PDB file of all heavy atoms in Angstrom:
ATOM      1  N   PHE A 332     -76.362 -68.681   3.605  1.00 97.00           N
ATOM      2  CA  PHE A 332     -76.981 -67.361   3.820  1.00 97.00           C
ATOM      3  C   PHE A 332     -77.444 -66.914   2.424  1.00 97.00           C
ATOM      4  O   PHE A 332     -76.707 -66.435   1.632  1.00 97.00           O
ATOM      5  CB  PHE A 332     -76.031 -66.423   4.450  1.00 97.00           C
ATOM      6  CG  PHE A 332     -75.395 -66.932   5.690  1.00 97.00           C
ATOM      7  CD1 PHE A 332     -74.115 -67.309   5.794  1.00 97.00           C
ATOM      8  CD2 PHE A 332     -76.220 -67.078   6.880  1.00 97.00           C
ATOM      9  CE1 PHE A 332     -73.552 -67.823   6.919  1.00 97.00           C
ATOM     10  CE2 PHE A 332     -75.703 -67.610   8.016  1.00 97.00           C
ATOM     11  CZ  PHE A 332     -74.409 -67.945   8.102  1.00 97.00           C
ATOM     12  N   ASP A 333     -78.825 -67.032   2.256  1.00 97.00           N
ATOM     13  CA  ASP A 333     -79.313 -66.954   0.939  1.00 97.00           C
ATOM     14  C   ASP A 333     -79.588 -65.502   0.417  1.00 97.00           C
ATOM     15  O   ASP A 333     -79.252 -65.119  -0.654  1.00 97.00           O
ATOM     16  CB  ASP A 333     -80.676 -67.741   0.842  1.00 97.00           C
ATOM     17  CG  ASP A 333     -80.533 -69.149   1.450  1.00 97.00           C
ATOM     18  OD1 ASP A 333     -79.536 -69.782   1.059  1.00 97.00           O
ATOM     19  OD2 ASP A 333     -81.413 -69.620   2.160  1.00 97.00           O
ATOM     20  N   ARG A 334     -80.099 -64.696   1.329  1.00 97.00           N
ATOM     21  CA  ARG A 334     -80.383 -63.308   1.034  1.00 97.00           C
ATOM     22  C   ARG A 334     -79.864 -62.443   2.129  1.00 97.00           C
ATOM     23  O   ARG A 334     -79.961 -62.697   3.288  1.00 97.00           O
ATOM     24  CB  ARG A 334     -81.949 -63.006   0.849  1.00 97.00           C
ATOM     25  CG  ARG A 334     -82.548 -63.768  -0.288  1.00 97.00           C
ATOM     26  CD  ARG A 334     -82.188 -63.132  -1.638  1.00 97.00           C
ATOM     27  NE  ARG A 334     -82.837 -63.873  -2.759  1.00 97.00           N
ATOM     28  CZ  ARG A 334     -82.331 -64.922  -3.360  1.00 97.00           C
ATOM     29  NH1 ARG A 334     -81.131 -65.487  -2.980  1.00 97.00           N
ATOM     30  NH2 ARG A 334     -82.977 -65.494  -4.366  1.00 97.00           N
ATOM     31  N   TRP A 335     -79.283 -61.292   1.794  1.00 98.00           N
ATOM     32  CA  TRP A 335     -78.546 -60.382   2.741  1.00 98.00           C
ATOM     33  C   TRP A 335     -79.228 -58.975   2.646  1.00 98.00           C
ATOM     34  O   TRP A 335     -79.596 -58.507   1.568  1.00 98.00           O
ATOM     35  CB  TRP A 335     -77.142 -60.239   2.436  1.00 98.00           C
ATOM     36  CG  TRP A 335     -76.351 -61.563   2.418  1.00 98.00           C
ATOM     37  CD1 TRP A 335     -76.557 -62.699   1.700  1.00 98.00           C
ATOM     38  CD2 TRP A 335     -75.214 -61.813   3.278  1.00 98.00           C
ATOM     39  NE1 TRP A 335     -75.588 -63.666   2.066  1.00 98.00           N
ATOM     40  CE2 TRP A 335     -74.835 -63.124   2.976  1.00 98.00           C
ATOM     41  CE3 TRP A 335     -74.527 -61.073   4.234  1.00 98.00           C
ATOM     42  CZ2 TRP A 335     -73.665 -63.706   3.581  1.00 98.00           C
ATOM     43  CZ3 TRP A 335     -73.400 -61.679   4.864  1.00 98.00           C
ATOM     44  CH2 TRP A 335     -73.032 -62.983   4.513  1.00 98.00           C
ATOM     45  N   GLY A 336     -79.219 -58.285   3.790  1.00 98.00           N
ATOM     46  CA  GLY A 336     -79.493 -56.880   3.694  1.00 98.00           C
ATOM     47  C   GLY A 336     -78.228 -56.131   3.417  1.00 98.00           C
ATOM     48  O   GLY A 336     -77.182 -56.670   3.055  1.00 98.00           O
ATOM     49  N   GLN A 337     -78.416 -54.752   3.348  1.00 98.00           N
ATOM     50  CA  GLN A 337     -77.230 -53.948   2.979  1.00 98.00           C
ATOM     51  C   GLN A 337     -76.253 -53.748   4.098  1.00 98.00           C
ATOM     52  O   GLN A 337     -75.175 -53.274   3.841  1.00 98.00           O
ATOM     53  CB  GLN A 337     -77.714 -52.630   2.371  1.00 98.00           C
ATOM     54  CG  GLN A 337     -77.963 -51.531   3.449  1.00 98.00           C
ATOM     55  CD  GLN A 337     -79.221 -51.778   4.362  1.00 98.00           C
ATOM     56  OE1 GLN A 337     -80.073 -52.601   4.097  1.00 98.00           O
ATOM     57  NE2 GLN A 337     -79.343 -50.966   5.379  1.00 98.00           N
ATOM     58  N   GLY A 338     -76.687 -54.065   5.320  1.00 98.00           N
ATOM     59  CA  GLY A 338     -75.843 -53.932   6.464  1.00 98.00           C
ATOM     60  C   GLY A 338     -75.956 -52.615   7.146  1.00 98.00           C
ATOM     61  O   GLY A 338     -76.414 -51.598   6.655  1.00 98.00           O
ATOM     62  N   THR A 339     -75.665 -52.620   8.528  1.00 98.00           N
ATOM     63  CA  THR A 339     -75.564 -51.432   9.314  1.00 98.00           C
ATOM     64  C   THR A 339     -74.307 -51.382  10.076  1.00 98.00           C
ATOM     65  O   THR A 339     -73.831 -52.407  10.616  1.00 98.00           O
ATOM     66  CB  THR A 339     -76.843 -51.318  10.223  1.00 98.00           C
ATOM     67  OG1 THR A 339     -76.921 -50.092  10.881  1.00 98.00           O
ATOM     68  CG2 THR A 339     -76.815 -52.464  11.238  1.00 98.00           C
ATOM     69  N   LEU A 340     -73.662 -50.191  10.088  1.00 98.00           N
ATOM     70  CA  LEU A 340     -72.328 -50.089  10.649  1.00 98.00           C
ATOM     71  C   LEU A 340     -72.451 -49.755  12.218  1.00 98.00           C
ATOM     72  O   LEU A 340     -73.130 -48.861  12.587  1.00 98.00           O
ATOM     73  CB  LEU A 340     -71.544 -48.994   9.958  1.00 98.00           C
ATOM     74  CG  LEU A 340     -70.160 -48.548  10.512  1.00 98.00           C
ATOM     75  CD1 LEU A 340     -69.213 -49.790  10.397  1.00 98.00           C
ATOM     76  CD2 LEU A 340     -69.636 -47.443   9.796  1.00 98.00           C
TER      77      LEU A 340
END
Side-chain angles (χ1 to χ4, degrees):
Chain A
F332 304 111
D333 309 318
R334 297 289 183 269
W335 298 61
Q337 86 290 348
T339 188
L340 176 64

